[in-house]
Amino acid sequence: MLKQMKALTGTENEGLTRNILVGFLEAFLMGIPFVVVYLVIKEMFLPQPNLNFIWVCCGSMLVLFTLRIVVARYVMVHSQIFGYDAGINIRQNLAGKLKKVPMGYLLKTDPGALNATMLQDVTFTEQIFSHLFSQLVVTISLVALVAIGLTFE
């Protein structure tokens, strides 16, 4: 996928790796509170539950939720910035290639097809990287973390 993104934009896409890593951190922060809830429920069914442990778990969940708000905001803002920058780079790359096309080809080609490619197709690609990509990373990471957690229980 990184090769295709590099071919489309014509740049190295340094922000993509950062977005993937921060998305994984967001998924981790999303999944850990469920593990803590599991531990609290498991503790409550013991004959003598440890209330200090339960309160520590509740406090840690509050801290994790607060941290997740900060990380989720960061992920959302930077994935939007990355997506729109990628859209700009794709448009500039396509415009550079259109400059090299002979004028006779442009006269024969339907202007609506070029317009659709420059506007709609690039906008769709831009939306994939600004809206869907971060959620895809979070979802895949969360499923992987749950699978790993279930194998060790």
Side-chain angles (χ1 to χ4, degrees):
M1 182 177 143
L2 296 176
K3 290 179 185 177
Q4 289 87 0
M5 187 65 183
K6 184 178 178 180
L8 281 173
T9 60
T11 61
E12 290 295 324
N13 301 311
E14 297 86 20
L16 187 61
T17 306
R18 182 187 65 217
N19 283 349
I20 291 171
L21 293 175
V22 177
F24 179 76
L25 177 64
E26 181 188 7
F28 184 74
L29 291 173
M30 188 185 307
I32 291 297
F34 294 110
V35 173
V36 175
V37 166
Y38 170 74
L39 293 175
V40 168
I41 291 172
K42 190 175 173 183
E43 183 72 26
M44 291 175 74
F45 282 112
L46 292 177
Q48 188 73 1
N50 184 355
L51 291 179
N52 288 334
F53 177 74
I54 293 173
W55 281 111
V56 167
C57 286
C58 291
S60 65
M61 282 178 35
L62 183 65
V63 169
L64 288 171
F65 282 133
T66 306
L67 188 59
R68 181 170 176 253
I69 290 170
V70 173
V71 171
R73 182 181 181 278
Y74 180 86
V75 167
M76 198 57 83
V77 167
H78 285 280
S79 66
Q80 298 291 326
I81 291 171
F82 175 75
Y84 293 125
D85 286 346
I88 289 170
N89 291 336
I90 291 170
R91 284 186 179 92
Q92 288 174 345
N93 198 13
L94 281 174
K97 290 182 181 185
L98 275 177
K99 287 179 189 176
K100 298 175 185 174
V101 173
M103 194 62 132
Y105 173 77
L106 292 176
L107 293 174
K108 292 179 203 173
T109 306
D110 179 29
L114 292 174
N115 188 21
T117 300
M118 287 296 287
L119 298 177
Q120 295 168 353
D121 294 345
V122 173
T123 301
F124 179 68
T125 306
E126 180 180 297
Q127 286 177 348
I128 287 173
F129 285 104
S130 62
H131 298 293
L132 299 176
F133 185 72
S134 63
Q135 294 302 314
L136 180 69
V137 169
V138 168
T139 303
I140 291 172
S141 301
L142 193 57
V143 169
L145 289 173
V146 167
I148 290 168
L150 288 176
T151 52
F152 292 116
E153 181 48 32

